[in-house]
Amino acid sequence: MVSGAFAQLKDEVIRFSEGLPSDFVKELVLNDEGYLILATRRGLSQYDGYRFLAHSSASVNITSLAIKDDVMYYHDVYVGLCKTRSFYELPKVIAPNMYHDADPNNDHFDNIFIDSGGRVWCSDFNNIKYFFTNGGRKKTFLIREKVDHENSFVSFLEPEKGKVFVFTEKGLFTWNAETDKLSEHPGFKLNEVLSSAKLFNRDEVLLGTQSGDVMKYRISTGRLEKLFSLPDKKAVKGFENMTFSTKQYLMPYSSENMYSMDDGGRLVHIYHTNSQLINKVVGDAKTNVIWLATNKGLIKLFNPYAFVHHVMIPVEYRKSGHMISDIVEQNDGSIYCINKSNLIWVYHPMNGWRKFAIPDKAVQAGSLYLAGNTLLICTNKGLYTIKDNRIEKLALGREMNNAAIKKCIVDLKNNLWILPPGKRVKVFSWPDLKPANDVDVNDAGFWQDNVWNDIFCNTDGKVWIAGWTPKGFGIAIHDSSKRIFTDVSKLKANANQSLFAGDYYNRISKAKGSDVLISAYGGWNLLNANGGIKQLLNTKKYEVANDRVEGIAEDNNGKIWFATEEGLNVYSRNADKVIRISQIDGLSSDDLIYGFRKLRNGNLAIGIENGFSVIDINMMLRSQLVNKLELCAIKINGRIINSNNRDIKLLKDETELELLFSSLTYMDKRKVVYRYKFLEDNKWNYLGNKSELSLRHLAPGTYHIVIQAGDNLDNWQPKALRVKVYLPAPFYKTQWFLLLVFLSVVAVIIYIYRQLLRQHKIEEQYKRKLKEAEMQALRSQMNPHFMFNTLNSINSFIIEHKTDEASEYLTTFSRLMRDILDNSKHTGIPLKKELQTLKLYLNLEAARLENSFDYRITVSKIVAEEGFRVPPLILQPFAENAIWHGLRNKEGKGLLEVIIDMDNEHVLHIIIRDNGIGRKAAASFMMSQFKHKSHGVDITSSRLKLLSSESSIIMEDLYNGIGKPAGTAVHIYLTVEQ
């Protein structure tokens, strides 16, 4: 139980079941790193707020413990007086226990103290003794002949360098380094039995007695002065100085109780242990935690909610479910609030609570408003105020006298606006309450069809209302010149209606300048003085835990605070994010949809059950972390190793690593979060509240790991923990082995490449020979056939005495034959030359067939300009085929078209198209008209395939509009080069 000036202190008892090695904690100290070191019956233990780490060597009863310059000195009942510089270092024995001699003092080293000269002082049953830490000489001083085990006490102090004070149950001994003698102080006379001593400053010592008295001894004068007595009259076990909540406190304690001196110098009880006996108290000013070592566990006293203060109404008036539904603040700091009863509560920080009862018990208050210093109370039966320390009803005329009133305001023109549910707004002059006419001319449906929840007067005098409008967006501004409320969704500035938070708005509050904030289901809007939306916060987009936003306010730093059914939220414009504040931060509940008020000092007052919470918003967002992050322990393959070295070198079979760390703040574990990343990465990996990182099945290599601690309010401390992990690769994964494998692979690849290259050359030679054979076959196939037809034609002209035609025909034929012979010597000729040869052939065929067809050759500009090379006589077989099978048997004039264009950068698209009888009809003539089959087309197709696998020939049958054959088109796709 906690009381007095430390009323918000909470206690947490940590026992064996939570990992404490033993429930009996004899001593505890804080080392320089911030770890809590405990001496227990089961050895030394180091606590980091998450786990207790046992010392590998000091694992039995530890009776005494001290730390100086971060070196631990302790008495191990099995070993003796020991020291160690690290919790992971093997201890050095300063003086061993001697159990086998007759002197019982040789195995006791109690009340360890280290002076400025490095001497380790301690006591036993009869003596005071000191040792040098290097194992050198020791000295023993007899202080008592007879031992009083029940009341024996020793405490070492060093008020100045080279001078040690030794307080015992009977008096004071002093030791001087110059004389190296311990002598009883002649001027110290005390009739009581001492139980504790603490150096308060260089000249003053606080002393506690077995009877509970606390005294002050001034060293310079030898004066002894009684200060006070502990109320429980039990022995003073010790004293602790503690800076708590920015103030310095002296805390004396007995075996079961702790006390503190308040600002007025009075002794205040702050904690009772409930049957646990206190052995030692240590206060940590960095974390504001007080630690108690007891015989039944370790106790932590702390203030988890330093920035939330709960103000509760008197106990006798508290009822379940009675929430403070509205809050207002007067200029003198008095806070008025209401709940479900007919009572009006007033709280002042200096005077406490007062209450006022509405005379009619059937009346229930709904909301409050301060008009200057006059409190207006809106109820279900009219408007009330407090006058002469009692509640009176205001006269509003017959219509409004007993009407339900939802909200009210007084505008800058001293008009009282009253908002009744489902009815037209009413306006009266203030304070004489005369009705004002013609203020509002909105139709009756505007008030009956809509639900208006709040009314507000802005700093520019404009009156706003907000609520639910089924056909609008729930926000309206009063236009005094037109005497009408205008829905802001009708404004041109709000044409983008997706900027509205929703259609159900709840509360209005002032923002900076003339802006206003309006909360809603689904978020909130910030609007300018004319109703234009400046900002939307959507609860879904910002992942707010609940979409019912009620109380809302902007603080002095521009942050916007808003309350929901699942906690308090704060929006930061700079970070563009929402931070949630909940019960783990000190709220009594996360349901905060009731009273909400920004106080004059900038803090928030929020209604809770039977009271309200005051939130220091400036301090709330500050981190309670101490900018410390330590590597507490290392687990390798599931076993904790005796080291916390941040440069970790694993063996090849050690592939599972766990890093245990702590921020050493000892705060609520739910409020501390962790994240990590590898140094070369930009993305953080979040661990949540887990204070350990597991790396399993690690691949060989070097890892640079960065770990960072933060709190639940998104404050990340700048100091990070950096750990380097190295896992060597097995031989078959080493660089030398991989280099050897690489060279072997390269050698094999070179060998295979050479073999493939040799095979490729053989294949290329074969292909060239094959192409030459095909060309020879082409020439042997084409030349006799063509010459036969041509000579027959010349013969016909001679018989018919057409000497001119015969001469011209013979001349053309000779040019054609010369071109064929020249071209056949090459695998590729210019396209222009191939077309020239084709024209000679077509002229001969047209003349021989009495000009029964025309031909047309079209070459695209890009083809003509590029100067491509093509295989010789690649077009003639297809032209011949078109003439003899398509055009020859056609009735009427035939047409042969040759069109040459580019299909892509390296492929020619050649179309040889005729308007003949088509392939199906031509097949019926072939048996009767031709005695042999022409192989020119087949040979040419084969040639194209040999020349390039990408070349192809496609035959297309042409049809007219009524589906009859209208000729044939041959599409040649020829891969070419310049």
Side-chain angles (χ1 to χ4, degrees):
M1 51 184 293
V2 181
S3 62
F6 293 78
Q8 295 206 144
L9 277 180
K10 303 293 182 182
D11 63 343
E12 177 185 343
V13 181
I14 305 170
R15 293 192 171 93
F16 178 77
S17 57
E18 284 85 40
L20 184 66
S22 168
D23 280 345
F24 190 94
V25 184
K26 174 65 174 176
E27 291 272 1
L28 57 84
V29 291
L30 279 164
N31 68 10
D32 291 346
E33 292 176 314
Y35 290 106
L36 192 66
I37 309 298
L38 300 93
T40 75
R41 285 177 175 167
R42 295 185 63 191
L44 281 179
S45 183
Q46 175 178 281
Y47 183 53
D48 58 30
Y50 295 92
R51 58 195 74 83
F52 292 89
L53 182 65
H55 194 284
S56 59
S57 298
S59 57
V60 295
N61 192 13
I62 306 297
T63 62
S64 184
L65 171 68
I67 290 183
K68 180 69 178 292
D69 298 329
D70 220 24
V71 177
M72 290 187 296
Y73 301 84
Y74 62 92
H75 176 221
D76 186 322
V77 297
Y78 276 13
V79 179
L81 180 62
C82 305
K83 76 165 187 176
T84 178
R85 291 190 173 276
S86 166
F87 202 77
Y88 307 95
E89 181 184 84
L90 290 175
K92 178 182 177 182
V93 179
I94 299 173
N97 289 327
M98 296 182 183
Y99 287 114
H100 302 293
D101 61 6
D103 188 355
N105 290 313
N106 289 336
D107 50 35
H108 280 266
F109 305 89
D110 302 322
N111 304 301
I112 298 173
F113 172 79
I114 301 90
D115 69 16
S116 57
R119 301 170 186 84
V120 182
W121 293 80
C122 55
S123 64
D124 53 39
F125 294 130
N126 303 98
N127 306 298
I128 297 297
K129 48 194 175 185
Y130 72 75
F131 302 84
F132 285 96
T133 57
N134 58 7
R137 68 183 177 89
K138 72 172 184 178
K139 194 145 187 183
T140 302
F141 306 96
L142 181 67
I143 60 168
R144 58 173 79 95
E145 295 286 350
K146 185 178 179 181
V147 181
D148 182 356
H149 291 284
E150 194 169 318
N151 293 316
S152 62
F153 155 74
V154 171
S155 180
F156 297 94
L157 305 174
E158 188 177 20
E160 60 181 276
K161 188 175 181 180
K163 190 172 184 179
V164 174
F165 279 26
V166 183
F167 285 92
T168 71
E169 69 275 7
K170 292 297 185 180
L172 170 63
F173 292 84
T174 60
W175 174 88
N176 193 299
E178 294 179 358
T179 62
D180 194 19
K181 292 182 179 181
L182 184 74
S183 58
E184 190 170 0
H185 195 291
F188 186 84
K189 301 295 182 182
L190 184 66
N191 295 323
E192 297 188 63
V193 179
L194 287 180
S195 59
S196 60
K198 182 180 180 64
L199 189 64
F200 190 65
N201 54 49
R202 292 181 64 88
D203 191 45
E204 293 179 326
V205 179
L206 292 176
L207 300 174
T209 71
Q210 286 285 358
S211 59
D213 293 335
V214 175
M215 294 174 287
K216 182 170 66 175
Y217 172 66
R218 189 175 295 277
I219 298 172
S220 59
T221 63
R223 181 183 177 188
L224 191 63
E225 174 188 358
K226 181 178 177 180
L227 299 178
F228 53 83
S229 298
L230 299 186
D232 59 6
K233 301 298 182 181
K234 292 186 177 181
V236 181
K237 295 277 291 186
F239 304 89
E240 180 64 359
N241 284 327
M242 177 68 179
T243 301
F244 196 82
S245 300
T246 70
K247 294 182 180 180
Q248 185 79 18
Y249 292 93
L250 172 66
M251 296 182 295
Y253 58 92
S254 64
S255 57
E256 293 183 347
N257 294 287
M258 284 189 63
Y259 303 89
S260 175
M261 304 297 295
D262 67 9
D263 295 339
R266 294 170 297 180
L267 190 66
V268 178
H269 180 256
I270 62 172
Y271 187 70
H272 177 65
T273 63
N274 291 323
S275 80
Q276 294 146 303
L277 300 180
I278 301 173
N279 293 319
K280 183 70 175 293
V281 173
V282 171
D284 184 1
K286 292 182 180 178
T287 61
N288 284 337
V289 175
I290 304 170
W291 298 99
L292 283 68
T294 79
N295 67 330
K296 294 182 180 179
L298 175 67
I299 299 176
K300 179 173 74 170
L301 295 180
F302 63 109
N303 184 354
Y305 316 128
F307 313 128
V308 180
H309 179 59
H310 304 303
V311 183
M312 311 303 293
I313 64 175
V315 175
E316 61 269 25
Y317 293 97
R318 298 178 192 175
K319 294 183 180 179
S320 176
H322 277 213
M323 313 299 292
I324 296 298
S325 57
D326 202 4
I327 301 169
V328 294
E329 181 189 25
Q330 253 186 348
N331 292 332
D332 66 352
S334 298
I335 295 177
Y336 291 84
C337 52
I338 56 172
N339 57 17
K340 287 184 177 180
S341 67
N342 69 330
L343 297 177
I344 308 300
W345 292 97
V346 187
Y347 174 80
H348 191 278
M350 299 300 295
N351 304 320
W353 287 98
R354 286 185 300 155
K355 63 179 176 61
F356 298 91
I358 300 175
D360 187 348
K361 292 186 178 180
V363 173
Q364 184 173 322
S367 65
L368 303 175
Y369 182 80
L370 273 174
N373 287 321
T374 302
L375 180 70
L376 299 179
I377 308 164
C378 301
T379 75
N380 59 335
K381 291 186 177 182
L383 189 65
Y384 288 78
T385 188
I386 296 178
K387 187 176 182 181
D388 297 329
N389 286 323
R390 61 189 183 90
I391 295 180
E392 293 184 355
K393 192 172 191 178
L394 296 178
L396 299 177
R398 186 174 60 181
E399 181 181 0
M400 295 302 299
N401 222 32
N402 290 308
I405 299 175
K406 203 166 194 177
K407 296 284 180 74
C408 71
I409 61 167
V410 174
D411 66 16
L412 300 184
K413 297 179 180 179
N414 286 329
N415 292 314
L416 171 65
W417 297 67
I418 293 178
L419 184 66
K423 295 181 180 179
R424 184 183 300 277
V425 66
K426 300 297 181 183
V427 183
F428 298 84
S429 60
W430 178 259
D432 55 13
L433 300 180
K434 293 181 180 179
N437 298 320
D438 298 329
V439 174
D440 169 60
V441 295
N442 291 85
D443 58 39
F446 181 81
W447 302 103
Q448 295 172 1
D449 299 340
N450 303 321
V451 177
W452 299 107
N453 296 321
D454 202 4
I455 186 167
F456 171 77
C457 180
N458 201 6
T459 54
D460 58 2
K462 292 180 181 177
V463 175
W464 297 60
I465 54 175
W468 177 56
T469 55
K471 297 180 181 179
F473 282 91
I475 305 173
I477 306 178
H478 188 260
D479 187 333
S480 58
S481 62
K482 297 180 179 179
R483 297 175 298 159
I484 193 170
F485 279 96
T486 301
D487 188 340
V488 300
S489 65
K490 304 294 191 297
L491 303 175
K492 290 183 179 180
N494 297 330
N496 181 9
Q497 296 187 342
S498 65
L499 291 177
F500 284 90
D503 61 356
Y504 198 113
Y505 285 86
N506 297 314
R507 304 189 197 180
I508 312 171
S509 74
K510 180 185 178 304
K512 285 187 177 180
S514 298
D515 294 344
V516 296
L517 284 163
I518 308 183
S519 63
Y521 282 86
W524 51 258
N525 284 118
L526 176 69
L527 299 93
N528 62 29
N530 298 317
I533 294 178
K534 297 178 67 173
Q535 186 176 358
L536 159 68
L537 186 136
N538 181 280
T539 53
K540 183 176 181 181
K541 176 183 176 183
Y542 286 86
E543 299 180 350
V544 178
N546 181 260
D547 66 351
R548 181 179 178 181
V549 182
E550 289 283 348
I552 188 167
E554 182 177 15
D555 69 19
N556 298 332
N557 297 317
K559 293 183 176 66
I560 295 173
W561 299 71
F562 56 98
T564 72
E565 292 174 310
E566 289 296 334
L568 179 65
N569 300 270
V570 56
Y571 169 74
S572 170
R573 287 190 176 92
N574 295 334
D576 191 29
K577 66 167 52 177
V578 172
I579 296 171
R580 179 174 178 245
I581 297 167
S582 63
Q583 292 180 69
I584 66 172
D585 301 298
L587 301 181
S588 65
S589 168
D590 287 339
D591 188 1
L592 304 177
I593 60 172
Y594 305 99
F596 187 97
R597 184 69 56 183
K598 178 183 174 183
L599 302 179
R600 291 182 301 113
N601 61 6
N603 293 335
L604 293 179
I606 300 179
I608 59 175
E609 186 176 68
N610 296 310
F612 61 89
S613 298
V614 178
I615 300 173
D616 187 334
I617 60 177
N618 292 320
M619 299 298 293
M620 173 60 73
L621 297 180
R622 293 185 183 180
S623 177
Q624 296 181 47
L625 299 174
V626 294
N627 196 27
K628 183 185 288 290
L629 187 57
E630 295 292 336
L631 180 62
C632 306
I634 301 168
K635 277 187 179 180
I636 298 177
N637 288 0
R639 180 177 57 86
I640 292 181
I641 66 171
N642 193 30
S643 172
N644 67 341
N645 187 353
R646 299 182 186 184
D647 190 353
I648 304 170
K649 294 180 174 62
L650 303 174
L651 301 177
K652 61 182 180 180
D653 58 341
E654 296 176 338
T655 58
E656 296 187 1
L657 174 68
E658 292 180 71
L659 304 176
L660 311 180
F661 42 83
S662 172
S663 63
L664 298 178
T665 54
Y666 303 100
M667 58 196 288
D668 189 333
K669 297 180 183 67
R670 297 172 299 172
K671 298 176 69 173
V672 185
V673 292
Y674 298 93
R675 64 185 182 183
Y676 78 96
K677 70 175 181 177
F678 295 98
L679 190 60
E680 61 273 13
D681 294 342
N682 293 322
K683 182 181 179 181
W684 288 97
N685 304 288
Y686 288 85
L687 297 168
N689 305 118
K690 189 177 179 183
S691 65
E692 57 188 61
L693 171 61
S694 298
L695 301 172
R696 303 186 183 279
H697 308 295
L698 288 171
T702 301
Y703 302 87
H704 296 272
I705 304 168
V706 181
I707 304 170
Q708 202 171 22
D711 60 25
N712 62 308
L713 302 178
D714 208 34
N715 296 305
W716 293 96
Q717 63 181 22
K719 184 176 181 179
L721 174 63
R722 298 178 184 273
V723 179
K724 179 182 177 182
V725 180
Y726 171 70
L727 177 61
F731 172 72
Y732 58 87
K733 290 185 179 181
T734 61
Q735 291 183 351
W736 287 109
F737 180 82
L738 294 176
L739 179 60
L740 180 61
V741 171
F742 173 75
L743 293 176
S744 300
V745 171
V746 169
V748 171
I749 291 173
I750 292 173
Y751 173 78
I752 294 173
Y753 173 76
R754 287 182 174 177
Q755 292 297 317
L756 292 174
L757 184 62
R758 179 173 172 274
Q759 186 68 26
H760 179 69
K761 288 180 179 179
I762 294 172
E763 290 178 357
E764 288 295 319
Q765 289 175 359
Y766 171 77
K767 287 182 179 180
R768 283 198 299 271
K769 290 178 181 180
L770 181 61
K771 289 179 182 179
E772 290 174 1
E774 290 291 347
M775 291 295 293
Q776 293 296 331
L778 176 64
R779 288 194 292 272
S780 65
Q781 176 71 25
M782 183 179 296
N783 293 346
H785 180 212
F786 184 74
M787 289 173 64
F788 176 78
N789 289 335
T790 303
L791 291 174
N792 277 342
S793 297
I794 295 171
N795 185 49
S796 297
F797 282 130
I798 294 172
I799 292 172
E800 294 172 7
H801 303 289
K802 297 180 180 178
T803 56
D804 292 336
E805 287 86 345
S807 176
E808 184 179 351
Y809 198 94
L810 184 59
T811 301
T812 302
F813 174 70
S814 64
R815 289 176 57 193
L816 175 61
M817 292 305 296
R818 185 172 63 250
D819 286 351
I820 290 173
L821 290 173
D822 290 340
N823 294 345
S824 65
K825 298 175 183 179
H826 307 283
T827 57
I829 63 172
L831 176 61
K832 183 177 181 182
K833 197 169 184 180
E834 172 68 3
L835 293 177
Q836 179 182 324
T837 303
L838 179 62
K839 288 179 182 178
L840 292 174
Y841 169 75
L842 293 177
N843 287 336
L844 288 175
E845 293 289 51
R848 190 162 65 85
L849 296 177
E850 298 178 348
N851 295 312
S852 62
F853 72 93
D854 291 329
Y855 70 90
R856 182 164 59 234
I857 298 175
T858 305
V859 182
S860 70
K861 184 177 180 182
I862 187 171
V863 173
E865 291 176 350
E866 289 295 331
F868 294 107
R869 299 179 71 84
V870 297
L873 291 178
I874 205 73
L875 303 179
Q876 184 273 336
F878 297 99
E880 179 183 6
N881 205 49
I883 294 169
W884 288 91
H885 298 295
L887 298 175
R888 181 184 177 192
N889 297 306
K890 175 181 173 60
E891 294 182 4
K893 194 79 168 181
L895 176 63
L896 178 68
E897 293 181 274
V898 179
I899 304 169
I900 304 175
D901 201 356
M902 293 299 296
D903 185 63
N904 60 43
E905 188 177 359
H906 300 291
V907 178
L908 279 179
H909 183 195
I910 303 171
I911 304 173
I912 302 173
R913 183 168 60 204
D914 66 73
N915 63 347
I917 62 175
R919 290 193 294 170
K920 185 176 181 181
S924 62
F925 288 99
M926 289 181 64
M927 294 300 296
S928 59
Q929 292 182 357
F930 299 97
K931 296 180 181 180
H932 68 277
K933 180 181 179 182
S934 173
H935 297 284
V937 171
D938 293 339
I939 292 173
T940 303
S941 299
S942 298
R943 287 174 62 207
L944 290 176
K945 290 295 183 183
L946 285 171
L947 291 168
S948 173
S949 60
E950 297 179 1
S951 298
S952 62
I953 299 173
I954 299 174
M955 297 288 189
E956 178 186 10
D957 294 316
L958 305 177
Y959 298 90
N960 61 17
I962 60 176
K964 289 185 178 183
T968 305
V970 179
H971 296 266
I972 302 172
Y973 294 90
L974 180 62
T975 303
V976 294
E977 59 184 36
Q978 293 181 342

